[in-house]
Amino acid sequence: MLTAPPSRPSGLSCRQGRKGEVHLQPGLLGSQAQEVQTRWRPSPCFGAGKRSPTKMIHSLFLINCSGDIFLEKHWKSVVSQSVCDYFFEAQEKAADVENVPPVISTPHHYLISIYRDKLFFVSVIQTEVPPLFVIEFLHRVADTFQDYFGECSEAAIKDNVVIVYELLEEMLDNGFPLATESNILKELIKPPTILRSVVNSITGSSNVGDTLPTGQLSNIPWRRAGVKYTNNEAYFDVVEEIDAIIDKSGSTVFAEIQGVIDACIKLSGMPDLSLSFMNPRLLDDVSFHPCIRFKRWESERVLSFIPPDGNFRLISYRVSSQNLVAIPVYVKHSISFKENSSCGRFDITIGPKQNMGKTIEGITVTVHMPKVVLNMNLTPTQGSYTFDPVTKVLTWDVGKITPQKLPSLKGLVNLQSGAPKPEENPSLNIQFKIQQLAISGLKVNRLDMYGEKYKPFKGVKYVTKAGKFQVRT
Amino acid sequence: MSSNSFAYNEQSGGGEATELGQEATSTISPSGAFGLFSSDLKKNEDLKQMLESNKDSAKLDAMKRIVGMIAKGKNASELFPAVVKNVASKNIEIKKLVYVYLVRYAEEQQDLALLSISTFQRALKDPNQLIRASALRVLSSIRVPIIVPIMMLAIKEASADLSPYVRKNAAHAIQKLYSLDPEQKEMLIEVIEKLLKDKSTLVAGSVVMAFEEVCPDRIDLIHKNYRKLCNLLVDVEEWGQVVIIHMLTRYARTQFVSPWKEDDGLEDNEKNFYESDDEQKEKTDHRKKPYTMDPDHRLLIRNTKPLLQSRNAAVVMAVAQLYWHISPKSEVGIISKSLVRLLRSNREVQYIVLQNIATMSIQRKGMFEPYLKSFYVRSTDPTMIKTLKLEILTNLANEANISTLLREFQTYVKSQDKQFAAATIQTIGRCATNISEVTDTCLNGLVCLLSNRDEIVVAESVVVIKKLLQMQPVQHGEIIKHMAKLLDSITVPVARASILWLIGENCERVPKIAPDVLRKMAKSFTSEDDLVKLQILNLGAKLYLTNSKQTKLLTQYILNLGKYDQNYDIRDRTRFIRQLIVPNEKSGALSKYAKKIFLAQKPAPLLESPFKDRDHFQLGTLSHTLNTKATGYLELSNWPEVAPDPSVRNVEVIELAKEWTPAGKAKKENPAKKFYSESEEEEDSSDSSSDSESESESASGEQEEEGDSSEDSSEDTSSEHRSDSESASEVGDKRTAKRNSKSKGKSDSEDGEKENEKSKTSDSSSTDSSSEEESSSDSESVSESEREPESRKVAKEKEKKKTKQDRNPLTKDVSLLDLDDFNPVSTPVALPTPALSPSLIADLEGLNLSTCSSVISYE
């Protein structure tokens, strides 16, 4: 041995001495290491100094609303639960769950958390990492739970703790994402079904697959191999949501259309699909599932892809904001609180506007009333309403609009006596749904399949919904 | 024991790892290990019995319960001996759960953990790649220092594995071993170097991750792989893309000269120290006048662009920061659309993206101005999102849009969320100072708010008005009088202190009110907040100096109260003021200047964005979010004055004469493989796109009517949700035919690979074929004639001609666009060449042009 420090157990052929100088033990690796030496170019700017050698996600804690840590998983050495105290502290400070900062700095760690379905996913990070990387991953974990158990709740996770653990083990290796595609995970770990659990308990077979998902190896990691269906079907749901802010006078402050195309593909083999639109130029900004070929879209505005098996989101898009957005409903409102009295008046009416001749259904109005409101005494001409005196949320379930008789909700508001009247009228959040219509006018032209011989059954469905649709009063 | 195993290791030179593992296990005395934990076993006796039963189902149940315990954070370490016995179980689920357990507790029970090592070593040689990979994963996850040499060996072997999945796991294992024993760095770097050359998209992300962790300063390892990484990027999995893009951003900043022109650099709020840089740049720029972008620099910018359309927010953000940091300023604009899109996502993503937009919008307003309305606040947004949006709106405010914005702000001020309302008032103040046209309007608006019922709103208005008045030396007596009246009602300390300060500053303008205010304050002095007390003292001092007749006694009374205050700051201030303003024999020369000191012109406060100082952090990083340097943050270097030698990125391969004699088998495989790799190439798609477009158009023209009618019918028959748009799919397109054969070719090569695994004798031929393939794909980049096996001959001839020119025999460029996943790693030895080969430049420029044209036609 050349210069190996005597304290270290030395059985390895090379040691580093001064920086930039490599001492070699003659042997197998000699020639390669020599090359390192000759090509060594010190570049001080590129990154220097000592780094603590752990990166990405270190541990994950799942915390419910009452502050119990009900699951923990460590990918490296164990981090004590007490690290979550910093999180609880921040949670207390924030008052509202929505306002807990997603990134918290503690003396030794960084906590990056998401809030999903009344659960906090808190990950422990030790060094610099793009925060979106972690956030996006945590959401992917939550999505996977949703996918596997039908819901992402504390009960579901506790009931399936073994599967959860197996999933987490596959999704992250050493804190770095390994397999996050649902098609691959489902081949590795089969989702629980009642039938399977019965069969398993009798036969002793397991939920864990023992073959390597073929997708993992190919250039199309999102699709599993050997898919077989007797009925080959491909369905596309074009779902558009209108985001809008309508001001007091009824004019539109801001409106845009956000759309997605969700696909449900049940096709055997390796189908290669091309989906084209009648009017692709409507799409102003598009984000793609990894399966879509960028170049084809760039050059021809055709979505060309080998789909994953099952349900997935093909694209999300925004319709260019230059186009005028049709607003399908209008709201007439008069909400007033009298000075120095403990009551106010509340009166809203909803009517159809540019609805392209379709029925508007599933209308719900949600209003966050001011804190001084004690109770509300209203009469709807249609549907039913509820008012929660604790959260001060008024919900009116309207249903369909019939143009002959416009639905309205009228009545009195009881205020806390003595309290000053509210400064501002609450804004109305409106939900609605229009079947068979993409409000932007987007139309699928045709779907072609290559690569397989059979004829698939193809279908397209259009729906328009209200997104973040808010009326200021 | 440890010395024992290492001594052994030295003898064998780390060769026979299997035996080492066995020796290690044999040295554990069973009695000692089991005896230690016997006292704790009672609790989990039933679990232990289940684990020792013969039935797999009982074992599985036990393991599931144990995993449940681990998940809850309960200690299950006493079961270690019972669990570890099952590591070799045939049942794959039991095995997996045992792995979970092992990884969790091995660090605590190192001696016992060694029992399992030999199992993994055996599994590392398993013919099934899944088993090899998972064995490597678990082996490397067991944090037991003794097995470092075994891990090292396993990693080395795995990095040469034929399965890219195993190689990917090897890349992951590198980081684990490095964190266990940083002494292994040098050897790990060798493995990283080898894996960086890997052409599989599966490996790329993981190995760059390892690179970032182990040796981020070894930029020299990237040179040769730079172009390959750029070209592979689109096909790498999402997480790998993020890591690679961040690494390439840093790389670009060290290797290319700045694409930012000087006038751009001096534009808006660039920092001062940049200016000196610019001056220097000017000198150098005069020498090599027109700036031309390095084609490699362009390659990176171009190849990351499609990723802006990724569904993964982290990828979009990574590309956005790459554009922000390395692209010419004129091209940064394209990222804003994608970033605005991310605002539709969940609140956590919004939070991070808005923070980054806030930083960007300070420097470049124009980028986000068209999207102004996307930052309008909804009442349902969480407060943190609201304040960030407000921040951006402030940054974007200018003469043209301020009136719209102020109208919008009016709604916000009335918000039920008072914290947000307060933030809005701050914002109005900032707009008022930034845009002089609206200062008066804003001021009036704020004064109106003084009669607001909510105290927080009033207090915030007072504070902002104070700042605004300070900036305007004009008379504002009325406002001050109005505010003085507020003192009776308002209780928020900051607001009270602000009012007092304002009166003190303007005491000569409101000569009647000021002494009266002081009188009131003297009365309530003892019950005031410390902040207010200090301002009362200040007010007293100022009045004493300007109007000593009326206020002398009052001030002295206040000073006396202050002298015995509980707070030492106030006592301190009292003593200081008394010495300064009350003349006595001790007071020095300063008291002469007391008036000048107290009533000096104070510079107006700058109302600045809290995001102003964040731009020195790389966007999208944790450090940027926290606004402090996080552990392990790597600074982006400034652009180099002169670009380092670009030829280091040229990839040369020395072909040994032996390898040139093609084996018969390899020849057969070749066309299929080449076919596959070629179809993914950029040139291909861009070239053929025009052709296929016309083709598809003509094909679809026939069916358009049919498609139309079916669409219509779907609308008419409203009860049906799904409509069948039956249109016969004609497989006439050339491209699809090609794609089919591509997938066939792939499966072929997969098979071939399996064969290779079984019979090691065919190894040599396969490496031959791979080098063959490289050389043939070279010819693709040189000559456009491909696919025919004869093309290789042509390529050879060309090659010979070229080598004459280069005076560098037997070297040539490797195709950048080779996407073959199934190459065994052939280790090409690299030699530096003096300059970028002309063919490559032409190639890159060709690509450049084609994309540019497509951009023009579609945007």
Side-chain angles (χ1 to χ4, degrees):
Chain A
M1 288 305 291
L2 293 173
T3 56
S7 60
R8 297 280 320 161
S10 56
L12 304 163
S13 49
C14 104
R15 286 265 165 263
Q16 193 182 6
R18 272 182 291 133
K19 203 179 180 188
E21 219 181 298
V22 182
H23 297 271
L24 302 167
Q25 186 182 23
L28 200 112
L29 296 156
S31 57
Q32 277 176 349
Q34 201 82 49
E35 196 188 300
V36 171
Q37 198 173 18
T38 51
R39 280 195 289 144
W40 170 261
R41 280 163 197 273
S43 50
C45 296
F46 194 58
K50 258 191 127 185
R51 293 144 46 75
S52 79
T54 37
K55 215 164 183 183
M56 294 299 169
I57 297 163
H58 201 287
S59 302
L60 175 70
F61 295 98
L62 296 191
I63 301 172
N64 65 13
C65 261
S66 43
D68 300 324
I69 304 170
F70 66 92
L71 187 113
E72 62 177 69
K73 168 92 181 116
H74 308 275
W75 282 273
K76 293 162 194 175
S77 48
V78 178
V79 178
S80 155
Q81 284 197 353
S82 61
V83 77
C84 292
D85 292 348
Y86 293 101
F87 176 79
F88 295 132
E89 210 174 283
Q91 195 184 359
E92 227 164 86
K93 223 187 274 171
D96 184 18
V97 282
E98 288 269 277
N99 275 321
V100 181
V103 183
I104 299 168
S105 174
T106 79
H108 299 291
H109 302 96
Y110 305 99
L111 303 179
I112 298 185
S113 62
I114 64 161
Y115 180 67
R116 267 280 285 263
D117 304 306
K118 299 193 173 141
L119 297 178
F120 281 106
F121 290 65
V122 182
S123 61
V124 182
I125 311 291
Q126 276 199 325
T127 54
E128 174 63 52
V129 61
L132 272 184
F133 187 98
V134 181
I135 287 168
E136 188 76 26
F137 176 78
L138 292 177
H139 276 289
R140 208 59 74 80
V141 171
D143 289 342
T144 309
F145 291 167
Q146 177 93 37
D147 193 23
Y148 265 73
F149 314 129
E151 54 167 358
C152 178
S153 67
E154 185 184 356
I157 291 170
K158 275 183 169 168
D159 288 348
N160 297 292
V161 73
V162 173
I163 294 185
V164 165
Y165 241 68
E166 286 168 350
L167 280 173
L168 290 175
E169 192 72 34
E170 290 300 333
M171 291 181 84
L172 269 191
D173 181 25
N174 195 40
F176 190 75
L178 191 63
T180 50
E181 285 295 336
S182 125
N183 264 237
I184 289 174
L185 285 171
K186 283 189 173 160
E187 266 185 87
L188 285 169
I189 301 148
K190 295 190 182 80
T193 58
I194 296 164
L195 180 70
R196 190 175 296 122
S197 61
V198 172
V199 172
N200 284 355
S201 62
I202 297 164
T203 61
S205 62
S206 72
N207 284 330
V208 178
D210 56 352
T211 50
L212 179 70
T214 40
Q216 191 77 297
L217 287 177
S218 67
N219 260 7
I220 38 170
W222 52 85
R223 186 171 178 89
R224 61 193 182 93
V227 184
K228 269 198 183 112
Y229 288 103
T230 42
N231 294 322
N232 289 294
E233 310 165 307
Y235 295 121
F236 295 90
D237 290 0
V238 180
V239 183
E240 296 196 335
E241 295 193 352
I242 304 173
D243 283 0
I245 302 176
I246 312 289
D247 78 358
K248 237 177 195 164
S249 59
S251 56
T252 310
V253 178
F254 165 75
E256 68 178 10
I257 298 169
Q258 302 274 356
V260 296
I261 298 183
D262 285 334
C264 176
I265 308 279
K266 291 179 175 171
L267 298 174
S268 314
M270 276 287 166
D272 194 330
L273 303 177
S274 314
L275 186 75
S276 62
F277 299 100
M278 304 279 278
N279 38 11
R281 277 167 212 279
L282 270 178
L283 308 181
D284 188 33
D285 181 37
V286 193
S287 77
F288 296 126
H289 188 276
C291 69
I292 291 172
R293 302 182 175 98
F294 286 119
K295 302 244 158 59
R296 208 53 211 290
W297 174 256
E298 283 289 308
S299 57
E300 297 165 57
R301 299 272 144 173
V302 167
L303 295 175
S304 155
F305 55 99
I306 295 173
D309 185 43
N311 293 305
F312 66 101
R313 174 153 297 173
L314 185 64
I315 62 168
S316 336
Y317 59 88
R318 190 174 57 202
V319 172
S320 96
S321 38
Q322 274 77 12
N323 293 15
L324 278 179
V325 178
I327 304 291
V329 293
Y330 71 88
V331 183
K332 273 200 279 187
H333 51 83
S334 103
I335 302 170
S336 59
F337 303 104
K338 273 183 215 149
E339 195 72 57
N340 301 324
S341 94
S342 60
C343 73
R345 299 188 59 78
F346 185 92
D347 182 356
I348 54 176
T349 308
I350 298 185
K353 221 165 134 186
Q354 307 151 290
N355 59 348
M356 323 281 176
K358 308 268 180 192
T359 13
I360 303 167
E361 45 186 49
I363 302 172
T364 327
V365 181
T366 320
V367 192
H368 290 260
M369 298 302 287
K371 290 212 172 57
V372 290
V373 173
L374 281 182
N375 214 336
M376 300 185 78
N377 200 352
L378 309 169
T379 33
T381 60
Q382 186 184 333
S384 60
Y385 83 97
T386 53
F387 177 72
D388 184 344
V390 182
T391 56
K392 315 284 183 197
V393 175
L394 167 75
T395 316
W396 178 29
D397 196 349
V398 188
K400 268 186 200 172
I401 293 186
T402 39
Q404 294 78 31
K405 194 161 169 274
L406 298 179
S408 68
L409 181 69
K410 274 182 207 174
L412 292 177
V413 184
N414 295 321
L415 300 177
Q416 208 175 314
S417 55
K421 77 163 191 147
E423 279 291 326
E424 187 204 23
N425 286 336
S427 37
L428 318 171
N429 295 297
I430 297 177
Q431 287 298 318
F432 56 80
K433 210 161 139 183
I434 306 170
Q435 301 281 8
Q436 326 268 329
L437 173 75
I439 198 90
S440 67
L442 184 77
K443 270 211 180 112
V444 173
N445 182 22
R446 49 185 284 131
L447 176 73
D448 295 319
M449 187 180 76
Y450 308 100
E452 295 289 334
K453 293 272 185 289
Y454 56 84
K455 269 195 175 183
F457 183 83
K458 297 177 272 192
V460 183
K461 184 172 101 174
Y462 299 92
V463 181
T464 297
K465 287 181 188 171
K468 296 171 178 173
F469 196 99
Q470 202 159 76
V471 180
R472 291 175 180 165
T473 60
Chain B
M1 196 202 79
S2 65
S3 63
N4 195 2
S5 64
F6 277 109
Y8 177 82
N9 196 14
E10 242 172 43
Q11 284 167 15
S12 68
E16 298 277 294
T18 332
E19 284 176 47
L20 171 66
Q22 278 162 359
E23 196 189 354
T25 51
S26 68
T27 50
I28 295 167
S29 64
S31 61
F34 289 113
L36 258 172
F37 305 98
S38 57
S39 57
D40 297 327
L41 275 176
K42 269 173 202 160
K43 269 184 282 172
N44 298 313
E45 200 61 48
D46 56 329
L47 280 176
K48 209 185 146 200
Q49 272 172 4
M50 284 163 85
L51 284 170
E52 275 163 8
S53 80
N54 292 324
K55 281 184 198 158
D56 270 0
S57 59
K59 284 182 179 176
L60 191 57
D61 274 351
M63 280 317 298
K64 283 184 173 172
R65 276 173 58 190
I66 293 169
V67 168
M69 285 166 72
I70 296 173
K72 284 197 194 91
K74 288 181 190 156
N75 188 5
S77 61
E78 71 252 26
L79 289 160
F80 202 99
V83 173
V84 83
K85 270 187 246 169
N86 291 307
V87 73
S89 169
K90 287 275 182 296
N91 182 314
I92 195 141
E93 189 163 18
I94 294 178
K95 205 175 198 167
K96 276 203 169 179
L97 296 178
V98 171
Y99 286 0
V100 169
Y101 183 92
L102 255 180
V103 172
R104 170 68 181 77
Y105 287 110
E107 201 171 14
E108 293 171 27
Q109 312 225 356
Q110 308 209 346
D111 288 357
L112 282 171
L114 294 177
L115 284 169
S116 60
I117 302 298
S118 60
T119 317
F120 297 127
Q121 285 181 310
R122 234 174 294 130
L124 281 172
K125 304 257 188 301
D126 197 281
N128 182 339
Q129 47 181 341
L130 179 66
I131 292 177
R132 287 205 302 277
S134 79
L136 182 62
R137 262 180 80 185
V138 182
L139 181 67
S140 55
S141 297
I142 296 176
R143 286 171 295 273
V144 178
I146 293 167
I147 64 163
V148 164
I150 302 177
M151 278 165 75
M152 191 67 228
L153 213 82
I155 289 172
K156 272 190 186 160
E157 256 168 48
S159 68
D161 200 288
L162 288 168
S163 155
Y165 185 66
V166 176
R167 298 202 296 276
K168 183 186 177 75
N169 277 284
H172 284 227
I174 290 172
Q175 305 161 46
K176 299 183 209 169
L177 179 54
Y178 180 59
S179 71
L180 185 66
D181 182 11
E183 293 285 318
Q184 305 293 325
K185 189 173 175 180
E186 284 309 312
M187 283 170 82
L188 288 175
I189 289 176
E190 280 169 32
V191 182
I192 289 174
E193 192 176 3
K194 190 160 133 203
L195 284 174
L196 274 172
K197 289 178 188 140
D198 204 304
K199 289 201 178 69
S200 164
T201 50
L202 211 56
V203 183
S206 302
V207 69
V208 171
M209 189 66 223
F211 170 84
E212 289 279 82
E213 193 129 317
V214 178
C215 52
D217 47 350
R218 285 296 302 275
I219 193 171
D220 55 309
L221 299 181
I222 302 299
H223 291 322
K224 296 278 169 208
N225 301 296
Y226 173 82
R227 288 175 196 158
K228 185 196 72 191
L229 283 173
C230 285
N231 285 309
L232 283 183
L233 198 54
V234 182
D235 296 310
V236 174
E237 34 87 40
E238 302 159 292
W239 312 107
Q241 285 172 346
V242 178
V243 178
I244 296 175
I245 293 171
H246 273 271
M247 189 274 289
L248 290 178
T249 309
R250 283 190 301 123
Y251 179 87
R253 283 287 281 255
T254 60
Q255 297 300 310
F256 307 126
V257 287
S258 168
W260 303 333
K261 291 178 198 107
E262 287 141 62
D263 44 330
D264 278 347
L266 291 172
E267 183 198 75
D268 35 68
N269 316 328
E270 286 282 74
K271 280 190 179 165
N272 280 337
F273 71 83
Y274 281 148
E275 281 169 24
S276 60
D277 276 359
D278 286 327
E279 278 163 31
Q280 288 177 356
K281 227 181 277 165
E282 236 170 302
K283 285 172 203 160
T284 51
D285 276 7
H286 280 304
R287 254 180 282 144
K288 35 152 202 172
K289 254 241 158 145
Y291 165 79
T292 44
M293 189 183 269
D294 188 312
D296 287 326
H297 191 173
R298 175 52 66 197
L299 179 77
L300 176 60
I301 291 172
R302 192 183 57 235
N303 281 10
T304 46
K305 191 184 164 198
L307 296 180
L308 279 173
Q309 268 152 349
S310 171
R311 62 165 172 178
N312 188 319
V315 177
V316 178
M317 190 65 233
V319 179
Q321 64 85 26
L322 178 128
Y323 265 78
W324 180 258
H325 289 294
I326 73 161
S327 83
K329 299 229 164 174
S330 55
E331 288 170 43
V332 180
I334 63 162
I335 63 173
S336 36
K337 198 191 263 181
S338 307
L339 287 178
V340 170
R341 183 185 70 230
L342 297 185
L343 297 181
R344 269 283 286 188
S345 195
N346 42 62
R347 69 166 186 117
E348 295 86 9
V349 173
Q350 281 186 45
Y351 176 74
I352 305 289
V353 173
L354 285 171
Q355 277 189 329
N356 285 293
I357 292 179
T359 305
M360 291 187 208
S361 60
I362 289 174
Q363 286 194 27
R364 311 202 54 194
K365 285 186 181 191
M367 261 175 79
F368 291 97
E369 230 181 273
Y371 304 97
L372 185 74
K373 288 189 172 177
S374 301
F375 302 107
Y376 278 10
V377 174
R378 289 184 170 79
S379 60
T380 41
D381 287 332
T383 310
M384 59 177 185
I385 300 294
K386 284 180 186 164
T387 29
L388 279 171
K389 281 185 173 174
L390 209 53
E391 175 63 39
I392 295 166
L393 288 176
T394 323
N395 293 339
L396 295 182
N398 58 22
E399 286 84 357
N401 59 25
I402 186 70
S403 55
T404 336
L405 275 180
L406 282 178
R407 217 171 305 135
E408 185 70 14
F409 289 158
Q410 272 172 23
T411 330
Y412 300 167
V413 167
K414 283 188 256 164
S415 164
Q416 290 172 36
D417 182 346
K418 290 305 163 199
Q419 206 189 326
F420 170 57
T424 309
I425 294 166
Q426 290 275 6
T427 300
I428 296 173
R430 265 176 58 198
C431 289
T433 56
N434 294 341
I435 302 160
S436 49
E437 280 94 331
V438 291
T439 311
D440 285 326
T441 328
C442 291
L443 199 55
N444 289 337
L446 289 171
V447 171
C448 290
L449 286 177
L450 290 177
S451 49
N452 194 292
R453 229 174 307 235
D454 192 272
E455 187 153 54
I456 302 170
V457 172
V458 179
E460 204 66 43
S461 312
V462 168
V463 176
V464 173
I465 290 174
K466 179 208 127 190
K467 286 177 184 164
L468 283 183
L469 291 187
Q470 203 181 341
M471 250 166 279
Q472 290 196 316
V474 213
Q475 271 286 14
H476 281 292
E478 281 308 306
I479 296 173
I480 293 167
K481 272 179 210 161
H482 185 92
M483 288 170 79
K485 280 181 207 150
L486 278 176
L487 267 182
D488 296 335
S489 55
I490 202 160
T491 57
V492 178
V494 197
R496 288 177 78 83
S498 294
I499 297 174
L500 290 173
W501 184 87
L502 205 57
I503 293 172
E505 278 299 289
N506 297 292
C507 56
E508 282 168 306
R509 297 198 185 107
V510 282
K512 282 183 186 156
I513 293 171
D516 194 50
V517 169
L518 189 67
R519 178 185 62 80
K520 281 186 195 161
M521 288 298 111
K523 231 165 142 184
S524 61
F525 185 86
T526 45
S527 55
E528 296 287 355
D529 188 273
D530 289 343
L531 200 64
V532 185
K533 281 177 183 172
L534 288 175
Q535 289 308 326
I536 297 175
L537 288 169
N538 276 346
L539 176 64
K542 285 169 191 167
L543 281 174
Y544 185 91
L545 292 170
T546 53
N547 187 1
S548 63
K549 212 187 272 175
Q550 273 183 303
T551 57
K552 191 174 181 184
L553 284 172
L554 263 177
T555 308
Q556 275 180 349
Y557 171 68
I558 290 166
L559 287 176
N560 281 335
L561 285 177
K563 192 175 176 184
Y564 299 107
D565 198 89
Q566 279 183 332
N567 185 302
Y568 52 77
D569 274 343
I570 290 167
R571 293 200 300 275
D572 217 31
R573 179 72 66 88
T574 310
R575 214 172 297 132
F576 165 72
I577 286 176
R578 190 190 289 277
Q579 286 302 317
L580 209 54
I581 63 172
V582 184
N584 56 10
E585 69 278 6
K586 269 190 218 163
S587 65
L590 270 182
S591 56
K592 265 186 263 171
Y593 304 104
K595 193 169 178 181
K596 272 187 184 164
I597 290 169
F598 276 102
L599 291 167
Q601 268 294 329
K602 279 126 192 137
L606 271 174
L607 300 180
E608 274 185 336
S609 162
F611 284 86
K612 193 164 177 5
D613 55 341
R614 287 206 189 180
D615 57 338
H616 58 269
F617 289 114
Q618 188 176 358
L619 290 180
T621 59
L622 185 62
S623 305
H624 175 267
T625 298
L626 295 168
N627 200 16
T628 49
K629 206 171 161 183
T631 335
Y633 173 73
L634 298 169
E635 299 257 3
L636 269 187
S637 66
N638 282 328
W639 295 102
E641 292 286 318
V642 181
D645 182 12
S647 65
V648 290
R649 284 182 292 277
N650 289 359
V651 185
E652 324 288 325
V653 183
I654 293 189
E655 308 279 357
L656 294 174
K658 237 199 301 179
E659 283 177 352
W660 272 99
T661 55
K665 202 179 169 187
K667 224 175 190 175
K668 269 180 207 166
E669 266 182 75
N670 232 353
K673 282 197 179 181
K674 196 169 46 169
F675 206 45
Y676 155 59
S677 65
E678 172 263 344
S679 68
E680 289 286 330
E681 273 181 37
E682 277 184 56
E683 289 112 310
D684 175 283
S685 60
S686 56
D687 285 349
S688 65
S689 64
S690 55
D691 295 357
S692 59
E693 197 171 358
S694 60
E695 265 177 44
S696 65
E697 262 172 4
S698 61
S700 64
E702 295 166 20
Q703 268 119 17
E704 219 159 50
E705 277 185 16
E706 202 180 330
D708 269 0
S709 60
S710 67
E711 287 302 326
D712 290 343
S713 69
S714 79
E715 279 177 23
D716 295 339
T717 55
S718 57
S719 59
E720 264 181 54
H721 289 180
R722 313 261 183 208
S723 76
D724 179 15
S725 60
E726 269 289 302
S727 52
S729 55
E730 288 178 9
V731 196
D733 200 304
K734 270 186 192 170
R735 286 181 53 82
T736 24
K738 223 188 270 172
R739 212 170 288 127
N740 286 346
S741 59
K742 160 194 138 192
S743 57
K744 270 178 205 161
K746 197 194 302 158
S747 59
D748 281 352
S749 60
E750 236 170 320
D751 291 347
E753 187 197 318
K754 274 169 199 163
E755 277 168 34
N756 284 347
E757 275 174 50
K758 279 172 196 162
S759 59
K760 293 219 166 177
T761 45
S762 66
D763 265 5
S764 57
S765 69
S766 76
T767 44
D768 280 0
S769 75
S770 77
S771 59
E772 279 293 330
E773 191 187 299
E774 268 168 23
S775 62
S776 60
S777 53
D778 293 348
S779 65
E780 285 169 23
S781 65
V782 178
S783 65
E784 285 294 314
S785 68
E786 57 224 352
R787 252 174 277 181
E788 287 81 30
E790 299 96 79
S791 72
R792 209 187 311 121
K793 281 180 191 170
V794 182
K796 257 191 208 171
E797 283 169 17
K798 277 205 174 187
E799 165 69 14
K800 275 172 195 165
K801 282 177 202 163
K802 213 175 79 183
T803 50
K804 274 175 202 164
Q805 292 168 354
D806 287 356
R807 271 185 269 148
N808 208 348
L810 294 169
T811 62
K812 58 153 69 170
D813 297 351
V814 160
S815 164
L816 305 171
L817 306 163
D818 195 344
L819 289 173
D820 199 329
D821 281 3
F822 303 101
N823 269 343
V825 190
S826 60
T827 47
V829 185
L831 278 182
T833 44
L836 203 67
S837 74
S839 66
L840 188 66
I841 290 174
D843 218 334
L844 290 166
E845 275 169 2
L847 286 175
N848 194 355
L849 281 172
S850 66
T851 39
C852 279
S853 61
S854 75
V855 166
I856 291 161
S857 57
Y858 285 107
E859 273 186 13

